[in-house]
Every structure is written in C-alpha cells, then in structure tokens.
Amino acid sequence: MIEPTYVTRPFLPPLEELQPYLERIWANRLLTNKGPFHEEFEQALCDYLGVEHISLFANGTLALVTALQAMRITGDVITTPYSFVATAHSLLWNGIRPVFVDIDPETLNLDPDKIEAAITPQTTAILPVHVYGRPCDTARIQSIADIYGLRVIYDAAHAFGVEDAGGSILRHGDVSILSFHATKVFTTFEGGAVVSPDAKMKKRIDYLKNFGFADEVTVVAPGINGKMNEFQAALGLLQLKHFDAALKQRAELDRYYRETLADIPGIRCLPLPDCSRRNYAYCLIMVEPEYPLSRDELYTRLRQNNIFARRYFYPLISSFPMYRALPSANKSNLPVASASADKVLCLPIYPGLEPDRLEKVTNLIRSVIES
Ligand SMILES: *Cc1c(COP(=O)(O)O)cnc(C)c1O
C-alpha cells in the first residue's frame, strides 16, 4: 500500500549534511542557552529575511505569548477568527480578551474596514495574521493603530520569506512572530521567532524567554523558558541553504494547480497575493455552490482516495468552547469568515511532491464534473 498524500510534508535536507553539525554539538557539549549555532542561526536569519533583530524561540506559540508579555498588552485585542487556534490562545494565556473581527473575502485577512467599529476604550492592540503567507493590508492597519494609539503584533507564522515592495513583511507593526513547526514552509521541527523593531525590544524579549535572567545573578522579569536549542538551530542553518530551491518547487506546484483547475466550475483559486516575493506556503481552493460536491464531500472523496487535504481554517477559532460566548464570536459578526471556513480546502503542496500524486489530486477534482 502506498502511503497517503498529505497536505504538507516537511522538507528535510540529505542526512549526511546534518552530520557535521551533530559532530560539533557532540564535541563542544553546548546544547542550549545561546550556543554557537543559536547565535549563528539568529544572524543568518536576519541576513536572509532582511530584518535586524530576531529572537529565536522553542516554538511559535511561546514567541507570541512572550511578545505580548514584552509589550505589556492588556485588556482587549482585535484579532481574526480565521487562523490557527494558537493566535487567540496566546491572548488568553496573557489574560487578554480577544475581539474577533471579520475578514476580507479576497485576502482572507482581517478586514481593515471593520476594525474601527470594534475599537473600544479597552482595546490596546491589533493581532492580525498574514494567513497562508498572504500579506495583510499593513498600511491601513498601521494608520488605524496610529489614530487610536494601538500596538500591532503580526502573527506571521505562515509568512516566512514573504516580501512586499519595501522588503520583508516582517518589518511591519510593532513585532512579528514566526513559526518553524514541522508543517510550516521553513522548519526546525519545532521552533519560532520574534522579529523586533529595535535592540531594546529584542533585549526585553531575550530576557523574557530565559526566565528573566539579565545576568548570572539578576532576574529582571518573571520570564518563561522559551529558548531554542542547538539542535533546532543547526536544523535551521541547514534548512536555510535549501530554502530558495524549495520555494521554486512550491511555485511550480502552485502554478500547476492554478492552470489545471482554472476551468472547473465551482472550484476557485484565490488570486496570487499582491507582493514581490511569495512563499506558496499553502495551496487553497474555494469549493463554491456550482461544484457538484460540497467542500466536505470533496474532502471525503479525496480521503477515500488516500489524499489527505485539510480544511484550514475550519472550524473558526471563535467557535471553540473557550471563545464562543464572547459577543464578537457570534456568527452574525463574522459572515465572511464563516462562509470561507465552509468552502476552503488546502491541497497538498510541498517540495518533492511527485507529479503522479499531483495529477491524481487534480484528476479526482475534475472527475466529479465529468461523471
Ligand atoms: C503554526 C501557527 C502558530 C503556532 O506556531 P507553533 O510553532 O506551532 O507553536 C501560530 N499561529 C499560526 C497562524 C500558526 O499557523
């Protein structure tokens, strides 16, 4: 039996390339706490992404929780229901109340036109997500934040390597956070980072991720243990060497899907995001009413054929039990997000996806209208 085709498979460099890194770790016995690979990876990421201040983390959720702590965000924070659940969970972990605002039907990101109506005296910040690596309307969001004196924290977990006309989209807002989880475009198995605007914020975040230690005998804050270890950092350094090639493969797969599915009634690909460098982290289709099957029926049909597509992001975060009693979680407040969550299907896309598997996916989607 051949193994299923998953929506993503992590790209792993040839094993022999890892060997020298492991030998160095075994030789120097430095396993964590700002080891040499940690320092090298932090700098390499800054260079690659074109940003100045990065703090590495054990995972993206800890990065997000810590960034909110570092900025002393309290009260209410405006965010999107159309994301991975960690976005809103990071608010609850800080005793912050999420206020869900609907998304834009074209970008699937927080709709800037709907943000202002949700701002109250309790609102302190906006937490948008560059969902699927598609950039938010950063200019509009910043102008709203400036008018109302709000902070902006971008959950950029999907946006590794994405650039707009001005450079990395990670430069927007007060901070951005990245995830290097196994399912993301760039992975260190588990891992994450905070991108800070200046050395002062980076320093504060670095204290907080290491129990609040400023030096051997000084603890300046009730920090957590969010540190990235040397093995993760070595994986990151290695992965970075292959990332451009991986991106190129993803772009080709994305193009194949767009071209092959273009004429199928009721299967809609979103327009390519408006940016100068994309990461093709996800390949999603919207299953519209003209298609003979519902989204869930298509999902099941693919599964029966050993293709494990995913319904990201269904259910909406706002429908989970710890959120659904919030006034902003009401479905009538979130019509676009609710409709999108019912139509979206993410198709397999990853470097090394074999042509016959790819063809099987598109043939199956097409066979429904031809039968
Ligand atoms: C993956 C993800 C996270 C969490 O990252 P982890 O590294 O898995 O902790 C946060 N936000 C979004 C949008 C994600 O997709």
Side-chain angles (χ1 to χ4, degrees), residues 131-346:
V131 79
Y132 310 120
R134 305 170 68 84
C136 292
D137 188 339
T138 51
R140 290 276 312 280
I141 290 171
Q142 194 57 54
S143 79
I144 295 166
D146 289 344
I147 291 167
Y148 292 90
L150 305 177
R151 311 300 290 267
V152 183
I153 299 102
Y154 280 103
D155 181 340
H158 303 168
F160 188 95
V162 176
E163 292 175 5
D164 60 22
S168 171
I169 64 165
L170 304 172
R171 74 187 187 285
H172 295 296
D174 291 286
V175 297
S176 290
I177 74 102
L178 290 166
S179 165
F180 310 143
H181 183 256
T183 55
K184 305 299 204 270
V185 270
F186 178 91
T187 181
T188 59
F189 293 13
E190 294 270 5
V194 178
V195 179
S196 295
D198 52 47
K200 215 169 125 189
M201 177 64 78
K202 172 175 160 54
K203 196 167 166 189
R204 184 161 169 72
I205 285 171
D206 285 347
Y207 288 157
L208 282 173
K209 77 172 189 190
N210 186 29
F211 309 98
F213 277 111
D215 62 44
E216 216 177 299
V217 291
T218 316
V219 174
V220 296
I224 195 150
N225 180 1
K227 301 187 302 291
M228 175 179 276
N229 68 46
E230 283 293 277
F231 182 68
Q232 290 172 291
L235 289 170
L237 281 166
L238 189 49
Q239 175 102 207
L240 211 45
K241 294 183 183 168
H242 295 271
F243 188 69
D244 287 343
L247 217 58
K248 222 169 129 197
Q249 283 198 48
R250 284 179 176 275
E252 280 161 23
L253 295 166
D254 185 272
R255 192 162 48 84
Y256 178 87
Y257 276 127
R258 284 174 185 281
E259 287 173 6
T260 316
L261 300 175
D263 65 332
I264 301 181
I267 297 295
R268 185 167 62 90
C269 296
L270 294 190
L272 281 168
D274 179 23
C275 49
S276 50
R277 188 172 189 252
R278 308 182 179 103
N279 71 3
Y280 308 95
Y282 300 82
C283 179
L284 56 141
I285 54 171
M286 290 292 177
V287 184
E288 304 287 351
E290 306 89 81
Y291 192 69
L293 301 184
S294 70
R295 187 276 313 269
D296 287 345
E297 286 165 343
L298 176 58
Y299 165 80
T300 306
R301 174 79 59 101
L302 292 172
R303 253 189 114 87
Q304 286 161 348
N305 287 276
N306 226 10
I307 292 156
F308 289 58
R310 293 295 298 265
R311 291 168 288 185
Y312 296 139
F313 285 96
Y314 163 88
L316 292 180
I317 300 177
S318 46
S319 68
F320 292 125
M322 60 299 290
Y323 300 106
R324 63 180 168 225
L326 292 168
S328 66
N330 201 303
K331 235 179 140 168
S332 63
N333 184 47
L334 309 166
V336 179
S338 303
S340 305
D342 287 342
K343 290 194 290 193
V344 71
L345 195 61
C346 288

